[in-house]
Amino acid sequence: KESIMGSNDAFISPSSLASTAATAIFSPPSRPSLMAWLKDTKAAEGTTVRGGNNWRALAGAIDIDDSGLVLLCPKENEDNVHVDGADYVAVVGNGNCLAPKGNKKKRVRNVSLKDNDESKLEVLSRIRKGRGDDIITSSKISIPDGSSTCNDAVQLCQKEYQDGVRGDPAANPLDRRANRRLVHCSELSVSSLSQDDFVNAQCGVPDDIRILSDRRNHHEFRDGSFLGR
């Protein structure tokens, strides 16, 4: 997914500018569902996706602003799909502001680092020089055996680092340090329980995360900003 929604827009009627009291209308941006985004994207490619209400996002980047892989499945076939594992990349560093856990009933799976130590976090890079207390940590999160989402990766990072994911509006909507919540689903392994079928999908990391994560991979300055500076 690559579509990133913008901030609220303010609309002022031209006819009201001539009047004594101008009228401003603050309208929230249109927020498409994941299925609406998928149907529009596939339609542009010439493929028609029907029956959007009969599909469900089971794992990966299930929120419209998150990037990376997402597992979509017809509701009638949910019990025939098993997620063997998922990898995420997140940029932690949100001024120590944490997002709430939310309604557990709405979460696909409640993941914990205490789940037999199966979930793993690996630091990819840490940027601290010249940034004061605004330290940025890029982390890889591996969650095996069971459906997980970007929300689960965020909660694991918050528990491990005691800081939120950069740009998370649920943590601090008044101090957004990125244009979106910087979390990405980079790999999904899925198998079928009804037939002998298995798929492993991988997805590259987008630029807004990669520029903060590639410091150990001979990432060199060329032009523009470098490593968030």
Side-chain angles (χ1 to χ4, degrees):
K1 300 184 306 179
E2 298 179 355
S3 176
I4 305 299
M5 306 307 299
S7 59
N8 292 357
D9 295 324
F11 299 96
I12 300 178
S13 173
S15 60
S16 65
L17 296 178
S19 62
T20 303
T23 301
I25 301 175
F26 292 89
S27 176
S30 175
R31 303 289 297 176
S33 67
L34 186 61
M35 278 308 305
W37 169 84
L38 177 67
K39 292 172 73 173
D40 291 344
T41 301
K42 289 300 182 182
E45 297 175 354
T47 303
T48 301
V49 177
R50 301 185 182 276
N53 293 333
N54 298 322
W55 291 70
R56 180 171 294 176
L58 297 182
I62 66 172
D63 289 344
I64 190 65
D65 279 347
D66 295 334
S67 62
L69 301 170
V70 58
L71 173 61
L72 292 167
C73 178
K75 292 180 180 180
E76 60 184 15
N77 294 329
E78 285 184 51
D79 295 335
N80 297 328
V81 176
H82 182 265
V83 178
D84 301 316
D87 286 347
Y88 302 86
V89 178
V91 178
V92 180
N94 203 39
N96 296 321
C97 295
L98 305 180
K101 293 183 178 180
N103 190 344
K104 292 184 179 180
K105 293 182 179 180
K106 294 183 179 180
R107 301 176 68 194
V108 177
R109 178 181 178 229
N110 187 18
V111 180
S112 172
L113 282 174
K114 295 182 180 180
D115 293 346
N116 299 322
D117 293 328
E118 293 179 348
S119 299
K120 304 295 183 183
L121 283 84
E122 176 188 353
V123 174
L124 300 177
S125 66
R126 180 173 284 121
I127 307 171
R128 60 173 79 225
K129 185 177 180 180
R131 300 192 64 87
D133 58 355
D134 186 25
I135 299 173
I136 299 176
T137 302
S138 298
S139 180
K140 176 183 177 182
I141 306 98
S142 299
I143 305 177
D145 194 24
S147 296
S148 63
T149 70
C150 287
N151 294 328
D152 295 313
V154 168
Q155 292 300 322
L156 285 171
C157 287
Q158 291 189 160
K159 185 174 183 179
E160 176 72 11
Y161 302 110
Q162 294 300 304
D163 197 355
V165 170
R166 201 166 187 83
D168 193 340
N172 190 351
L174 300 180
D175 184 17
R176 299 286 301 275
R177 303 190 179 194
N179 291 330
R180 67 178 183 94
R181 183 174 69 169
L182 295 182
V183 58
H184 174 84
C185 180
S186 58
E187 184 173 357
L188 275 175
S189 298
V190 183
S191 59
S192 173
L193 300 179
S194 60
Q195 54 185 337
D196 187 14
D197 195 8
F198 169 84
V199 63
N200 179 266
Q202 298 181 359
C203 179
V205 178
D207 291 342
D208 56 357
I209 294 179
R210 185 169 60 247
I211 196 171
L212 300 174
S213 304
D214 285 355
R215 191 176 189 182
R216 294 182 179 178
N217 298 327
H218 307 290
H219 192 74
E220 298 179 356
F221 174 79
R222 292 178 181 175
D223 56 39
S225 62
F226 175 58
L227 294 176
R229 294 185 175 86

